[in-house]
Amino acid sequence: MRINSVEQKGYANRIMDWKIFVRQDLVVAKASEFFYEFVGENSFRPVSELLLPEDGELLKKAVEADTFQPLELITVLHNLKDSVRNVYLRLEQSEQTENGIPLYQITVSDIHDLENRNLRLEQSILKYRHFMTLEDVYFFEYLIEQDTVLRSINMSTSGP
């Protein structure tokens, strides 16, 4: 099985939920460290150049529009060297500024990360759904941070 460069570089183990703040020309003003690590020396380029050409044009049109509307895309983010990621991208106005000039916020999430997180949540639901079917007999204290059942009380033997 071929391992892609994203997995080789260790990006696969990081949840991708990057916040990128851009100027109206879509050049990055500030971003998460992992974004800079991913795009490397291409961080000076407008974000629109790191996407599929038609999606880059949509970003440009969104920030140039007279009345800004948030934009959501499923696209490809490329570091222009050796890695690409399928991403969900959301562009919205930000309260952040740079020298008094408003910035736009781009949130980028890896689609595969989102799918894996969703699958883990579904598996967790199935795992504990069985316990919940015993609700009329048992009550559980579930600690979500540790993913454990702390205690159970059998109501049929504990009395009123």
Side-chain angles (χ1 to χ4, degrees):
M1 175 171 68
R2 185 173 172 269
I3 297 176
N4 68 32
S5 60
V6 169
E7 291 170 346
Q8 288 174 342
K9 291 184 177 185
Y11 296 116
N13 296 327
R14 298 182 188 147
I15 298 296
M16 182 181 187
D17 196 18
W18 299 339
K19 301 281 188 253
I20 306 163
F21 295 92
V22 296
R23 300 176 193 98
Q24 188 167 4
D25 61 1
L26 296 171
V27 173
V28 176
K30 56 185 170 180
S32 72
E33 180 181 335
F34 293 132
F35 172 78
Y36 287 121
E37 185 179 341
F38 180 75
V39 298
E41 66 270 5
N42 290 307
S43 63
F44 67 91
R45 294 179 180 271
V47 173
S48 56
E49 292 182 14
L50 304 175
L51 304 177
L52 295 173
E54 59 271 18
D55 294 335
E57 288 302 314
L58 287 174
L59 278 183
K60 289 178 192 175
K61 288 178 185 174
V63 297
E64 292 169 356
D66 292 334
T67 57
F68 178 82
Q69 296 293 317
L71 177 68
E72 295 180 332
L73 299 171
I74 302 293
T75 188
V76 174
L77 178 66
H78 197 295
N79 71 357
L80 302 180
K81 283 177 44 181
D82 58 358
S83 294
V84 296
R85 302 206 55 182
N86 298 316
V87 297
Y88 162 77
L89 180 144
R90 179 171 172 80
L91 171 72
E92 54 196 333
Q93 286 184 314
S94 167
E95 294 181 11
Q96 304 257 347
T97 61
E98 181 182 64
N99 299 325
I101 299 170
L103 299 175
Y104 295 90
Q105 177 179 309
I106 298 176
T107 305
V108 180
S109 301
D110 186 285
I111 291 174
H112 300 293
D113 287 345
L114 294 172
E115 288 174 338
N116 289 335
R117 281 191 263 178
N118 190 46
L119 180 61
R120 283 193 301 274
L121 288 171
E122 287 175 357
Q123 290 171 342
S124 183
I125 288 169
L126 290 174
K127 180 179 176 181
Y128 290 101
R129 185 171 283 154
H130 171 72
F131 292 121
M132 297 302 114
T133 61
L134 303 173
E135 181 182 76
D136 57 330
V137 179
Y138 289 93
F139 286 94
F140 299 89
E141 187 172 350
Y142 173 66
L143 301 176
I144 196 165
E145 294 85 18
Q146 287 112 6
D147 193 27
T148 60
V149 175
L150 183 60
R151 63 182 167 159
S152 62
I153 303 167
N154 186 335
M155 296 306 288
S156 62
T157 61
S158 63

